[in-house]
């Protein structure tokens, strides 16, 4: 039987990902595996002119914005970890596209299981394929998509 050693949970602060944390905690305890939490900060998109274009680099306009987002996300993730009795040292935040960052980070830490919510907070993404769907296709390790009802 395979014993998972490193379990990565992708957290977007939705109810779904909180459920994923609970499930991953159970599995990590069962396998005595290391548990890691990852949140990916998506750079906000801004309209440059009405209906014309979108900019993914608001940093040029608001230099502190990304820094503030990173600080707020780190605090929120650490708090969520604490409420689940998970050490702050297991929390990581990255910036970029969640679907690629989750897979890259899983490879980097040699995770053998990624646990995520079947759904999340995103709305627009549903039209072009969800984060979970993409990670399921791209990941080099097992992926568990947790439902709210399970
Ligand atoms: P989605 O596919 O966007 O509906 O989200 C499904 C799941 O993907 C969530 O429950 C999370 O586990 C994960 N996820 C989505 N966005 C992020 C993010 N920005 N950072 C980390 N995990 C995410």
């Amino acid at each position: 039987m395979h014993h998972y050693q490193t379990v990565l949970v992708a957290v977007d602060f939705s109810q779904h990902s909180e459920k994923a944390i609970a499930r991953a905690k159970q599995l990590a305890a069962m396998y005595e595996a290391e548990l890691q939490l990852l949140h990916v900060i998506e750079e906000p998109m801004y309209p440059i002119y009405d209906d014309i274009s979108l900019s993914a680099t608001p940093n040029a306009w608001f230099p502190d914005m990304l820094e503030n987002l990173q600080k707020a996300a780190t605090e929120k993730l650490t708090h969520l970890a604490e409420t689940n009795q998970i050490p702050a040292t297991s929390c990581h935040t990255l910036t970029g596209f969640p679907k690629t960052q989750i897979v890259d980070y899983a490879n980097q830490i040699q995770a053998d299981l990624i646990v995520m919510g079947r759904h999340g907070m995103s709305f627009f993404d549903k039209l072009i394929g969800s984060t979970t769907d993409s990670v399921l296709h791209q990941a080099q390790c097992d992926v568990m998509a947790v439902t709210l009802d399970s």
Side-chain angles (χ1 to χ4, degrees), residues 10-12 14 16-17 38-42 98 102 115-122 125-126 130-132:
V11 181
D12 67 349
S14 65
H16 305 268
S17 68
L38 173 68
H39 174 69
V40 182
I41 299 155
E42 291 179 83
I102 292 166
V115 182
M116 43 201 313
R118 193 175 169 87
H119 298 289
M121 300 227 274
S122 53
D125 249 6
K126 293 284 178 291
S130 70
T131 313
T132 302

Side-chain angles (χ1 to χ4, degrees), residues 51 79 92 97:
D51 300 331
H79 179 71
H92 302 274
F97 295 110

